[in-house]
Amino acid sequence: MEASTNELPGNAGQANWSNWHWQMKNSVTTLEQLARWIHVTHAERDAIESVRGKYLWRITPYYASLMDPEDADCPVRLQSVPSAAEMLIYPGAGIDPVSDASYRKTNRVIHKYPDRVVFLVTSMCPVYCRHCTRKYHTTDVAGTYFGESEGVSMEPDFDYLASHAEIRDVLLTGGDPLSYNDRKLEEIVSRLRMIPHIEIIRIGSRCPVVLPMRITEELCRMLDKYQPIWFQTHFNHPKEITKEASAACDRLLRHGIPVQNQSVLLKGVNDSVEIMRALVTGLLRIRVRPYYLYHCDNVTGVSHFMTTLEKGLEVIDGLFGHTTGFAVPDYIITTDLGKIPAGRSYVRRLDDGCEIRNYLGQTEIIQNL
Ligand SMILES: *Cc1c(COP(=O)(O)O)cnc(C)c1O
Ligand code: SF4
């Protein structure tokens, strides 16, 4: 469904529609507002009721406009409208299955890998993805990322980065760091740039997908002053590759900011070769490089999106060799030991040489390898 402005609350008009502040202010947070975009099913109605007081939900008008009004299995709906399954606790589920908390060095810095860190900017997001791996921190009303409050001084965090010369890569994330306005973001980015050993700054944001009007010329120009900057975003379904999303990525790219994509393999959303092939080839058309495909972790409130490892391997096998090499993301299981590449091996060691297998399943023995 095309975004038709006459359906918007108060007839937004194009100027409002393309203003990210308007999108944030007019976010869908009630059943009544949601019903302006879709025919809400009984199950969705009940789910909205049952997550009340437990999990936040919020959808930008832009992202709501991508929903299929009649199909409750629409991938955009599944990712953004609450589901009753979020309240089920699956065996083994946890709020932090990858133990990020134990690597937290300051209020905002998670230092798990030798040369790079996660810097938590905010717990806010324009759309609260139902499958968020940090669901407790972003969406659970009881949860927060921050040991101390979000508003507390960042000086101890900057001090930590400045005093650890091994850190050459800082990933701004959260939550969605682009929830902050340009001025607050520039305060952070410019401070990071004052630390000589920080070589690259990365911004992890879903805005190109859920709030593409956030990627303004002004934002891109500001970031361009602090190069090298890399951007990573989170498209999960070809339906999300719209004209607006494409234009947002194009603005970043034209300012010299490479854009990479991290998807999560989600049951019912993108767990098929056909959908993933359309996604990754669609991303190449907008010059966004598929980076990671994450296996969905057993996160409390997210478990119903989990697929099997075999499904993930089937998806990767259906991409590799069948399409452009750099369209194929690395398939990753995230664990307390870190990210684990889960792709299959195409080479098998034999006593004398190796057996190799190509993407069509044809095998051959190579001696002396
Ligand atoms: C994923 C992650 C990173 C970045 O890892 P890359 O593989 O370099 O993208 C850094 N720190 C933490 C804690 C992470 O989870
Ligand atoms: S935008 Fe990212 S951090 Fe925010 S809810 Fe979605 S997946 Fe989680």
Side-chain angles (χ1 to χ4, degrees):
M1 180 174 133
E2 283 293 305
S4 61
T5 42
N6 58 11
E7 286 195 33
L8 301 174
N11 291 332
Q14 195 52 46
N16 279 339
W17 183 257
S18 29
N19 179 315
W20 72 274
H21 296 288
W22 183 91
Q23 290 277 339
M24 293 289 267
K25 221 168 45 231
N26 289 280
S27 285
V28 176
T29 55
T30 67
L31 180 60
E32 293 66 37
Q33 292 166 334
L34 185 62
R36 292 185 192 145
W37 293 100
I38 60 173
H39 292 139
V40 184
T41 64
H42 286 295
E44 286 170 327
R45 227 170 260 270
D46 291 348
I48 286 168
E49 201 44 54
S50 59
V51 303
R52 188 192 303 283
K54 174 68 177 165
Y55 293 127
L56 301 172
W57 66 283
R58 190 218 328 246
I59 309 169
T60 55
Y62 165 80
Y63 200 58
S65 77
L66 306 184
M67 293 179 180
D68 185 323
E70 307 302 336
D71 179 10
D73 294 329
C74 161
V76 174
R77 276 166 81 153
L78 291 178
Q79 289 182 74
S80 58
V81 177
S83 140
E86 292 172 43
M87 301 303 286
L88 303 175
I89 307 291
Y90 282 54
I95 57 170
D96 181 21
V98 305
S99 302
D100 271 352
S102 60
Y103 297 96
R104 175 195 219 116
K105 304 300 173 176
T106 67
N107 194 30
R108 293 169 184 273
V109 176
I110 300 177
H111 194 175
K112 186 169 179 174
Y113 297 98
D115 67 343
R116 56 208 189 279
V117 297
V118 154
F119 189 99
L120 304 169
V121 173
T122 174
S123 61
M124 287 183 291
C125 300
V127 169
Y128 289 116
C129 312
R130 308 326 297 166
H131 57 274
C132 181
T133 188
R134 314 214 199 264
K135 192 174 183 102
Y136 172 74
H137 305 284
T138 53
T139 307
D140 191 322
V141 296
T144 171
Y145 252 137
F146 298 94
E148 301 169 71
S149 88
E150 184 171 329
V152 88
S153 161
M154 295 188 189
E155 291 310 314
D157 310 304
F158 292 129
D159 285 348
Y160 181 88
L161 300 178
S163 62
H164 285 78
E166 72 276 19
I167 298 170
R168 38 159 294 283
D169 170 0
V170 176
L171 168 56
L172 300 179
T173 176
D176 197 318
L178 297 191
S179 307
Y180 276 18
N181 64 31
D182 293 0
R183 186 184 50 76
K184 281 166 78 178
L185 270 176
E186 183 163 13
E187 276 171 24
I188 298 173
V189 175
S190 62
R191 273 304 295 274
L192 295 178
R193 266 292 160 253
M194 287 162 63
I195 303 173
H197 55 260
I198 295 179
E199 296 171 4
I200 65 168
I201 298 170
R202 290 196 254 178
I203 297 178
S205 164
R206 209 179 184 200
C207 280
V209 183
V210 297
L211 184 64
M213 44 296 279
R214 174 68 188 92
I215 313 297
T216 59
E217 278 291 320
E218 296 71 48
L219 172 70
C220 296
R221 244 181 282 133
M222 183 276 280
L223 292 175
D224 196 8
K225 290 193 287 178
Y226 302 99
Q227 294 278 19
I229 305 259
W230 292 68
F231 201 95
Q232 49 202 49
T233 190
H234 178 178
F235 288 89
N236 279 332
H237 193 278
K239 209 176 163 175
E240 295 167 335
I241 306 176
T242 63
K243 233 169 49 236
E244 291 90 340
S246 156
C249 295
D250 187 59
R251 283 190 288 278
L252 290 163
L253 291 162
R254 281 175 195 268
H255 285 83
I257 301 168
V259 184
Q260 309 205 69
N261 189 63
Q262 316 198 64
S263 300
V264 189
L265 189 64
L266 300 172
K267 187 187 264 173
V269 173
N270 58 10
D271 58 336
S272 81
V273 170
E274 190 195 355
I275 293 170
M276 284 303 299
R277 207 179 279 177
L279 175 64
V280 298
T281 53
L283 289 172
L284 291 199
R285 284 201 298 276
I286 65 167
R287 289 178 288 136
V288 171
R289 162 76 150 100
Y291 177 34
Y292 285 151
L293 172 64
Y294 288 109
H295 186 77
C296 181
D297 298 324
N298 196 5
V299 173
T300 307
V302 176
S303 312
H304 57 290
F305 282 116
M306 278 191 296
T307 60
T308 59
L309 180 65
E310 285 66 34
K311 176 55 77 177
L313 293 173
E314 179 197 322
V315 165
I316 296 297
D317 278 348
L319 298 177
F320 181 72
H322 297 274
T323 190
T324 309
F326 57 87
V328 186
D330 282 332
Y331 179 40
I332 299 286
I333 309 173
T334 311
T335 73
D336 53 348
L337 298 180
K339 294 181 172 73
I340 309 296
R344 238 194 272 280
S345 172
Y346 290 79
V347 180
R348 194 161 61 92
R349 165 59 68 206
L350 303 175
D351 286 344
D352 177 21
C354 285
E355 183 191 65
I356 52 127
R357 181 176 60 86
N358 76 357
Y359 68 101
L360 296 171
Q362 298 163 319
T363 60
E364 208 169 83
I365 310 282
I366 300 188
Q367 319 257 296
N368 309 318
L369 183 73

